[in-house]
Amino acid sequence: MIENSNLPQFIISEVEPLLKLLKVYGMKKRDIEIYLRLLNSGGLTAKELSVMTGLPQSKVYESLSKLIEKGWVMKSSDRPSIFYPVNIAEVWNETKHEISKKMEEVETKVIPLLERASVGSPPLFRIFLLSEGKIQYYIEKVFSKASKEVLIAISHKEIINDEFFEKISSLKDKGAKIWMIITKGVYEFLKDKNIMVRENYKIADEMFGSGIISDEILLIFKNGNQLNALWSDHNYFVELGKIYFEHLWSH
């Protein structure tokens, strides 16, 4: 946040997370920087602050006015005026008090309004239609939710990347059982890539699409030249997918 400062680096790095909190208090990044410059120097003119920060004097005066209003800075009667920082402990105590007041206002005024505006309870389950760019993220998501077993059907070689079988191996190491059905085309693709399938697997002539089922379900299908997918955490769809997978496995 602050360049060319004599403040220790560990102090600067600790101040950074406060910026998000102080935004609630109406403070900007440059306001904090100017206050810390003053804290480090003891007292500066607006021109000196402008040179040190690289900000136009108009912006420096704007920040100084805000800091004075909030009780962070005092202004001398000298010409030119010298601006002094208020003790940091006093500033922080006052800031905590003001932020607490704002949070109480939100709690007493805004939250009840939002509760009354709420349509109802959140859904017990979700179903998402996914574009091709989101499929890999949801593959990882379904893998991460696996507790006892993972059922995998692959008819699209596009979903297989370097991490795909590494994730499967990791699940096996954690005790999950893996069952896999792949098409002949995918089998030949893996063979050409020298990728050995070490799971319980069967080869099918063809399949409607691809899918991964754990405690969630991801169904992947071709829509023209693009891959799309359906994801759900609804138990009904998960169980339905398992029944269909078992049908494919037994045939």
Side-chain angles (χ1 to χ4, degrees), residues 86-104:
V86 173
N87 178 274
I88 185 66
E90 293 179 28
V91 165
W92 180 239
N93 285 333
E94 181 61 26
T95 301
K96 282 198 299 182
H97 177 68
E98 289 297 320
I99 291 175
S100 178
K101 279 174 59 179
K102 288 184 180 292
M103 295 300 290
E104 286 176 7

Side-chain angles (χ1 to χ4, degrees), residues 1-17:
M1 180 179 72
I2 300 175
E3 299 175 358
N4 304 320
S5 172
N6 294 323
L7 283 171
Q9 186 59 42
F10 79 90
I11 292 180
I12 296 172
S13 62
E14 288 297 324
V15 166
E16 289 285 354

Side-chain angles (χ1 to χ4, degrees), residues 31-80:
D31 304 331
I32 309 300
E33 178 173 358
I34 286 172
Y35 175 74
L36 291 178
R37 293 282 186 181
L38 292 173
L39 199 65
N40 190 37
S41 302
L44 295 166
T45 65
K47 184 177 181 180
E48 288 171 329
L49 283 166
S50 177
V51 171
M52 293 175 76
T53 61
L55 293 167
Q57 283 196 50
S58 59
K59 295 294 183 184
V60 171
Y61 276 117
E62 187 179 310
S63 288
L64 287 170
S65 296
K66 183 189 294 184
L67 291 167
I68 291 170
E69 180 186 344
K70 291 186 177 295
W72 288 39
V73 167
M74 296 182 296
K75 177 182 176 182
S76 76
S77 57
D78 301 320
R79 289 289 180 269

Side-chain angles (χ1 to χ4, degrees), residues 53-204:
T53 61
L55 293 167
Q57 283 196 50
S58 59
K59 295 294 183 184
V60 171
Y61 276 117
E62 187 179 310
S63 288
L64 287 170
S65 296
K66 183 189 294 184
L67 291 167
I68 291 170
E69 180 186 344
K70 291 186 177 295
W72 288 39
V73 167
M74 296 182 296
K75 177 182 176 182
S76 76
S77 57
D78 301 320
R79 289 289 180 269
S81 297
I82 300 175
F83 298 88
Y84 297 95
V86 173
N87 178 274
I88 185 66
E90 293 179 28
V91 165
W92 180 239
N93 285 333
E94 181 61 26
T95 301
K96 282 198 299 182
H97 177 68
E98 289 297 320
I99 291 175
S100 178
K101 279 174 59 179
K102 288 184 180 292
M103 295 300 290
E104 286 176 7
E105 286 178 14
V106 170
E107 188 174 349
T108 57
K109 296 179 181 179
V110 180
I111 298 300
L113 285 174
L114 293 176
E115 284 182 334
R116 288 197 293 271
S118 176
V119 174
S121 301
L124 297 175
F125 63 90
R126 295 164 292 172
I127 302 174
F128 295 156
L129 176 63
L130 309 172
S131 61
E132 186 166 352
K134 295 183 178 179
I135 289 175
Q136 284 299 329
Y137 170 81
Y138 275 85
I139 288 175
E140 294 183 17
K141 186 179 186 314
V142 175
F143 278 152
S144 71
K145 294 295 182 180
S147 54
K148 296 180 180 178
E149 66 176 9
V150 184
L151 311 179
I152 303 169
I154 309 176
S155 63
H156 304 105
K157 63 180 184 292
E158 297 95 321
I159 69 172
I160 301 171
N161 57 23
D162 294 339
E163 293 82 28
F164 191 88
F165 283 96
E166 290 179 12
K167 291 184 177 70
I168 293 174
S169 296
S170 176
L171 288 170
K172 287 176 64 179
D173 292 341
K174 294 176 182 177
K177 292 183 178 180
I178 310 295
W179 309 85
M180 184 181 298
I181 303 173
I182 57 178
T183 59
K184 288 181 178 178
V186 170
Y187 177 79
E188 293 299 327
F189 169 78
L190 295 174
K191 189 177 177 182
D192 290 342
K193 295 285 186 179
N194 293 318
I195 299 174
M196 296 293 293
V197 181
R198 304 182 186 279
E199 287 63 47
N200 296 321
Y201 76 94
K202 288 189 174 183
I203 300 174

